[in-house]
Amino acid sequence: MPVADQRGVKNDDTASNTPEVFACVSCPSLNGVGRNWPWASGGSSILAEYGTLHLEFMHLSALSGKPVFAEKVMNIRKVLNRLDKPQGLYPNYLNPNSGQWGQHHVSVGGLGDSFYEYLLKAWIMSDKIDEEGKKLYYDALQNLIRKSSGGLTYIAEWKGGLLEHKMGHLTCFAGGMIALGADGAPDEKTGHQMELAAEIARTCHESYVRTSMKLGPEAFRFDGGVEAIATRQNEKYFILRPEVIETYMYMWRFTHDPKYRQWGWEAVQALENFCRVEGGYSGVRDVYSTSPNHDDVQQSFYLAETLKYLYLLFSDDDHLPFEHWVFNTEAHPLPIIKKASPELGNHLK
């Protein structure tokens, strides 16, 4: 069954040679015909949705010896490469009938994130054979990065030609993603990429420490004289999300700077103080309040990701080492395909 991910929407549809590869089954009908939600820019498919299965299908081809699964996800790239991209950006919506972009909304956070993540991780999973995936990742990476007047680096959103100076908690995974891809950076820019990753990690940490509960809001803004603070009531909630912890884990693995473990421990204490309830852990409705108003929900990704990344943050590096494993967008480890088979290699070059 399809699952709703905290980063966009997932589906279990497979690809074909036509733009209909993007038809999702987020709302399947009894006759087996997939259709999209009407709120998604006139029934469009979602960028994160049709980028998400890349690692899983490559793994399936490696396990089965059948390249057909790899072919399915590689067809998605062929369609995207044929399309004109506004200012080099990938909008979050693509119409499955016309094969054209929907509403011009671009985000590295919700609706878009795992598409970018999987471009990079496809290269890593292929034992760094998939040069196209790496190139597409780096070409798209820099377009939305901005720095505030107070010196905080953040990743903005783009709507209809205008920048929105907002960064979501979901986008905070990007610090870890950038660090993970640093050693493949073009033009000897590895050091610059690690600096950028550290700056993103710092900004997301600031979004936590500037709240009363020391837990980060769903989104935070850099306008109207505020920085790294949620200004709208519907952005002040925290639902046990993993993305900031994820970045701390990657930054610790790559730098061994003790501040990342310290920041992770601060988050553990905040979770215990404000989210621990009798039956488990609950999200809170306003992180700027001095007392928690619980939403009475323990999200599935809290166990699958948040606690797993915390465990890895405080584990030795040889526990699921990066040279052997890559995490999918739900933090499930998949093995790197060492010296990818010739059949797969033909689809990755």
Side-chain angles (χ1 to χ4, degrees):
M1 292 295 291
V3 293
D5 176 50
Q6 78 280 10
R7 300 187 197 159
V9 180
K10 299 287 200 312
N11 69 65
D12 61 0
D13 201 8
T14 56
S16 69
N17 289 312
T18 67
E20 282 75 10
V21 315
F22 303 111
C24 84
V25 289
S26 297
C27 37
S29 58
L30 294 178
N31 64 8
V33 177
R35 66 184 187 276
N36 289 324
W37 296 105
W39 56 261
S41 188
S44 292
S45 297
I46 295 167
L47 184 64
E49 175 181 67
Y50 52 73
T52 286
L53 292 180
H54 203 114
L55 298 187
E56 289 80 358
F57 273 43
M58 296 302 297
H59 183 55
L60 187 55
S61 278
L63 289 176
S64 67
K66 298 178 180 179
V68 61
F69 303 108
E71 292 170 3
K72 297 293 185 184
V73 290
M74 295 307 291
N75 281 337
I76 294 172
R77 288 195 200 169
K78 293 178 183 178
V79 173
L80 292 179
N81 282 336
R82 290 197 300 263
L83 291 175
D84 290 330
K85 288 168 274 295
Q87 299 187 32
L89 301 169
Y90 292 86
N92 287 336
Y93 302 106
L94 187 70
N95 189 288
N97 297 313
S98 68
Q100 299 300 312
W101 300 115
Q103 176 188 357
H104 283 186
H105 174 210
V106 178
S107 169
V108 180
L111 303 178
D113 41 17
S114 53
F115 169 75
Y116 303 99
E117 175 186 12
Y118 270 30
L119 287 175
L120 172 67
K121 289 183 175 179
W123 172 65
I124 293 172
M125 188 181 190
S126 73
D127 208 10
K128 301 183 178 178
I129 291 174
D130 186 359
E131 290 292 328
E132 181 185 61
K134 183 179 78 168
K135 182 180 185 303
L136 291 172
Y137 164 75
Y138 279 108
D139 286 349
L141 181 63
Q142 304 293 335
N143 289 315
L144 297 174
I145 295 172
R146 295 292 184 274
K147 180 161 285 193
S148 72
S149 58
L152 294 177
T153 300
Y154 62 100
I155 303 177
E157 297 189 12
W158 185 78
K159 289 185 178 180
L162 298 175
L163 275 180
E164 184 176 16
H165 297 277
K166 175 187 79 170
M167 184 170 176
H169 192 291
L170 290 161
T171 313
C172 283
F173 89 100
M177 177 181 70
I178 293 167
L180 184 62
D183 70 348
D187 302 323
E188 306 298 326
K189 293 183 178 178
T190 297
H192 171 72
Q193 291 296 300
M194 287 305 300
E195 290 173 8
L196 176 59
E199 289 173 6
I200 295 295
R202 174 177 168 247
T203 296
C204 293
H205 177 249
E206 286 298 314
S207 78
Y208 272 52
V209 300
R210 297 182 186 196
T211 71
S212 299
M213 295 183 186
K214 310 307 177 188
L215 294 168
E218 180 68 5
F220 44 94
R221 295 181 178 267
F222 298 86
D223 55 22
V226 302
E227 296 198 354
I229 293 174
T231 58
R232 304 181 185 184
Q233 191 60 42
N234 64 354
E235 296 172 348
K236 294 181 178 180
Y237 64 89
F238 172 76
I239 55 173
L240 310 174
R241 290 201 187 277
E243 290 78 19
V244 173
I245 304 299
E246 178 181 357
T247 281
Y248 294 167
M249 187 274 292
Y250 279 107
M251 294 304 297
W252 164 256
R253 284 282 184 99
F254 286 118
T255 70
H256 288 150
D257 186 328
K259 72 183 178 187
Y260 296 112
R261 281 185 164 176
Q262 178 59 40
W263 291 355
W265 185 243
E266 291 171 6
V268 169
Q269 293 175 306
L271 288 166
E272 289 294 308
N273 288 336
F274 297 105
C275 298
R276 182 75 177 264
V277 294
E278 184 177 354
Y281 291 81
S282 169
V284 293
R285 292 187 170 92
D286 187 347
V287 293
Y288 298 95
S289 174
T290 55
S291 59
N293 181 5
H294 293 118
D295 63 15
D296 198 29
V297 177
Q298 179 175 293
Q299 303 284 344
S300 62
F301 49 74
Y302 181 63
L303 295 176
E305 299 182 68
T306 309
L307 294 185
K308 184 184 293 180
Y309 286 131
L310 278 169
Y311 175 73
L312 292 172
L313 173 62
F314 294 102
S315 298
D316 293 335
D317 291 0
D318 61 1
H319 196 76
L320 293 175
F322 291 164
E323 61 265 30
H324 297 300
W325 299 95
V326 62
F327 293 99
N328 77 352
T329 196
E330 304 297 343
H332 303 308
L334 294 172
I336 290 174
I337 305 169
K338 297 293 185 180
K339 296 180 181 178
S341 67
E343 293 82 4
L344 282 180
N346 290 334
H347 297 283
L348 296 174
K349 294 178 180 177

mmCIF file of all heavy atoms in Angstrom, residues 325-342:
data_model
loop_
_atom_site.group_PDB
_atom_site.id
_atom_site.type_symbol
_atom_site.label_atom_id
_atom_site.label_comp_id
_atom_site.label_asym_id
_atom_site.label_seq_id
_atom_site.Cartn_x
_atom_site.Cartn_y
_atom_site.Cartn_z
ATOM 1 N N TRP A 325 26.538 1.235 3.499
ATOM 2 C CA TRP A 325 25.087 1.410 3.577
ATOM 3 C C TRP A 325 24.681 2.827 3.181
ATOM 4 O O TRP A 325 25.403 3.786 3.431
ATOM 5 C CB TRP A 325 24.596 1.137 5.008
ATOM 6 C CG TRP A 325 24.880 -0.241 5.485
ATOM 7 C CD1 TRP A 325 25.958 -0.654 6.230
ATOM 8 C CD2 TRP A 325 24.102 -1.412 5.245
ATOM 9 N NE1 TRP A 325 25.888 -1.992 6.468
ATOM 10 C CE2 TRP A 325 24.759 -2.496 5.876
ATOM 11 C CE3 TRP A 325 22.901 -1.643 4.568
ATOM 12 C CZ2 TRP A 325 24.251 -3.788 5.849
ATOM 13 C CZ3 TRP A 325 22.395 -2.947 4.535
ATOM 14 C CH2 TRP A 325 23.072 -3.995 5.166
ATOM 15 N N VAL A 326 23.486 2.929 2.603
ATOM 16 C CA VAL A 326 22.865 4.219 2.340
ATOM 17 C C VAL A 326 21.440 4.140 2.875
ATOM 18 O O VAL A 326 20.783 3.097 2.751
ATOM 19 C CB VAL A 326 22.900 4.568 0.836
ATOM 20 C CG1 VAL A 326 22.124 3.560 -0.001
ATOM 21 C CG2 VAL A 326 22.392 5.976 0.596
ATOM 22 N N PHE A 327 20.979 5.208 3.504
ATOM 23 C CA PHE A 327 19.638 5.210 4.091
ATOM 24 C C PHE A 327 18.628 5.764 3.095
ATOM 25 O O PHE A 327 18.859 6.805 2.480
ATOM 26 C CB PHE A 327 19.608 6.067 5.358
ATOM 27 C CG PHE A 327 20.412 5.500 6.485
ATOM 28 C CD1 PHE A 327 21.696 5.965 6.745
ATOM 29 C CD2 PHE A 327 19.914 4.483 7.272
ATOM 30 C CE1 PHE A 327 22.454 5.443 7.769
ATOM 31 C CE2 PHE A 327 20.660 3.951 8.316
ATOM 32 C CZ PHE A 327 21.941 4.425 8.564
ATOM 33 N N ASN A 328 17.512 5.055 2.967
ATOM 34 C CA ASN A 328 16.454 5.635 2.148
ATOM 35 C C ASN A 328 15.785 6.755 2.931
ATOM 36 O O ASN A 328 16.172 7.080 4.051
ATOM 37 C CB ASN A 328 15.476 4.573 1.664
ATOM 38 C CG ASN A 328 14.487 4.126 2.727
ATOM 39 O OD1 ASN A 328 14.580 4.473 3.905
ATOM 40 N ND2 ASN A 328 13.511 3.331 2.317
ATOM 41 N N THR A 329 14.775 7.374 2.344
ATOM 42 C CA THR A 329 14.197 8.575 2.955
ATOM 43 C C THR A 329 13.461 8.280 4.257
ATOM 44 O O THR A 329 13.140 9.198 4.999
ATOM 45 C CB THR A 329 13.264 9.282 1.955
ATOM 46 O OG1 THR A 329 12.999 10.602 2.403
ATOM 47 C CG2 THR A 329 11.968 8.524 1.762
ATOM 48 N N GLU A 330 13.201 6.987 4.543
ATOM 49 C CA GLU A 330 12.575 6.592 5.801
ATOM 50 C C GLU A 330 13.581 5.977 6.759
ATOM 51 O O GLU A 330 13.205 5.307 7.715
ATOM 52 C CB GLU A 330 11.445 5.585 5.530
ATOM 53 C CG GLU A 330 10.394 6.075 4.557
ATOM 54 C CD GLU A 330 9.640 7.279 5.063
ATOM 55 O OE1 GLU A 330 9.701 7.535 6.269
ATOM 56 O OE2 GLU A 330 8.996 7.958 4.262
ATOM 57 N N ALA A 331 14.877 6.196 6.489
ATOM 58 C CA ALA A 331 15.972 5.737 7.347
ATOM 59 C C ALA A 331 16.149 4.229 7.359
ATOM 60 O O ALA A 331 16.751 3.675 8.272
ATOM 61 C CB ALA A 331 15.808 6.248 8.782
ATOM 62 N N HIS A 332 15.651 3.554 6.327
ATOM 63 C CA HIS A 332 15.908 2.123 6.216
ATOM 64 C C HIS A 332 17.237 1.932 5.482
ATOM 65 O O HIS A 332 17.419 2.475 4.380
ATOM 66 C CB HIS A 332 14.789 1.414 5.451
ATOM 67 C CG HIS A 332 13.439 1.612 6.064
ATOM 68 N ND1 HIS A 332 13.184 1.371 7.389
ATOM 69 C CD2 HIS A 332 12.272 2.029 5.525
ATOM 70 C CE1 HIS A 332 11.924 1.627 7.655
ATOM 71 N NE2 HIS A 332 11.340 2.042 6.544
ATOM 72 N N PRO A 333 18.183 1.176 6.027
ATOM 73 C CA PRO A 333 19.476 1.003 5.366
ATOM 74 C C PRO A 333 19.376 0.061 4.171
ATOM 75 O O PRO A 333 18.790 -1.026 4.267
ATOM 76 C CB PRO A 333 20.362 0.422 6.467
ATOM 77 C CG PRO A 333 19.414 -0.253 7.410
ATOM 78 C CD PRO A 333 18.132 0.521 7.352
ATOM 79 N N LEU A 334 19.954 0.473 3.060
ATOM 80 C CA LEU A 334 20.054 -0.359 1.869
ATOM 81 C C LEU A 334 21.538 -0.491 1.523
ATOM 82 O O LEU A 334 22.293 0.474 1.645
ATOM 83 C CB LEU A 334 19.304 0.270 0.696
ATOM 84 C CG LEU A 334 17.790 0.365 0.828
ATOM 85 C CD1 LEU A 334 17.211 1.192 -0.311
ATOM 86 C CD2 LEU A 334 17.156 -1.016 0.859
ATOM 87 N N PRO A 335 21.976 -1.659 1.091
ATOM 88 C CA PRO A 335 23.401 -1.838 0.816
ATOM 89 C C PRO A 335 23.838 -1.126 -0.452
ATOM 90 O O PRO A 335 23.102 -1.066 -1.437
ATOM 91 C CB PRO A 335 23.545 -3.358 0.662
ATOM 92 C CG PRO A 335 22.197 -3.818 0.222
ATOM 93 C CD PRO A 335 21.204 -2.903 0.887
ATOM 94 N N ILE A 336 25.033 -0.565 -0.419
ATOM 95 C CA ILE A 336 25.629 -0.011 -1.629
ATOM 96 C C ILE A 336 25.954 -1.152 -2.573
ATOM 97 O O ILE A 336 26.451 -2.203 -2.157
ATOM 98 C CB ILE A 336 26.893 0.794 -1.269
ATOM 99 C CG1 ILE A 336 26.479 2.087 -0.526
ATOM 100 C CG2 ILE A 336 27.721 1.126 -2.506
ATOM 101 C CD1 ILE A 336 27.635 2.885 0.009
ATOM 102 N N ILE A 337 25.629 -0.971 -3.847
ATOM 103 C CA ILE A 337 25.836 -2.018 -4.847
ATOM 104 C C ILE A 337 27.283 -1.939 -5.318
ATOM 105 O O ILE A 337 27.620 -1.184 -6.230
ATOM 106 C CB ILE A 337 24.851 -1.871 -6.025
ATOM 107 C CG1 ILE A 337 23.403 -1.840 -5.508
ATOM 108 C CG2 ILE A 337 25.040 -3.004 -7.032
ATOM 109 C CD1 ILE A 337 22.395 -1.442 -6.567
ATOM 110 N N LYS A 338 28.162 -2.674 -4.663
ATOM 111 C CA LYS A 338 29.576 -2.621 -4.982
ATOM 112 C C LYS A 338 29.829 -3.155 -6.383
ATOM 113 O O LYS A 338 29.332 -4.230 -6.744
ATOM 114 C CB LYS A 338 30.384 -3.436 -3.965
ATOM 115 C CG LYS A 338 30.308 -2.898 -2.550
ATOM 116 C CD LYS A 338 30.996 -1.542 -2.435
ATOM 117 C CE LYS A 338 31.036 -1.056 -0.995
ATOM 118 N NZ LYS A 338 31.690 0.254 -0.869
ATOM 119 N N LYS A 339 30.600 -2.390 -7.138
ATOM 120 C CA LYS A 339 30.933 -2.779 -8.514
ATOM 121 C C LYS A 339 29.670 -3.251 -9.219
ATOM 122 O O LYS A 339 29.520 -4.409 -9.586
ATOM 123 C CB LYS A 339 32.007 -3.862 -8.527
ATOM 124 C CG LYS A 339 33.333 -3.388 -7.954
ATOM 125 C CD LYS A 339 34.387 -4.477 -7.987
ATOM 126 C CE LYS A 339 35.691 -3.969 -7.389
ATOM 127 N NZ LYS A 339 36.733 -5.018 -7.355
ATOM 128 N N ALA A 340 28.754 -2.311 -9.377
ATOM 129 C CA ALA A 340 27.425 -2.606 -9.916
ATOM 130 C C ALA A 340 27.522 -3.504 -11.142
ATOM 131 O O ALA A 340 28.414 -3.387 -11.964
ATOM 132 C CB ALA A 340 26.718 -1.302 -10.290
ATOM 133 N N SER A 341 26.573 -4.433 -11.241
ATOM 134 C CA SER A 341 26.579 -5.401 -12.327
ATOM 135 C C SER A 341 26.542 -4.702 -13.674
ATOM 136 O O SER A 341 26.035 -3.592 -13.792
ATOM 137 C CB SER A 341 25.358 -6.318 -12.199
ATOM 138 O OG SER A 341 24.168 -5.583 -12.428
ATOM 139 N N PRO A 342 27.082 -5.346 -14.732
ATOM 140 C CA PRO A 342 27.067 -4.723 -16.065
ATOM 141 C C PRO A 342 25.669 -4.348 -16.521
ATOM 142 O O PRO A 342 25.454 -3.318 -17.151
ATOM 143 C CB PRO A 342 27.682 -5.810 -16.960
ATOM 144 C CG PRO A 342 28.513 -6.647 -16.046
ATOM 145 C CD PRO A 342 27.790 -6.637 -14.730
#
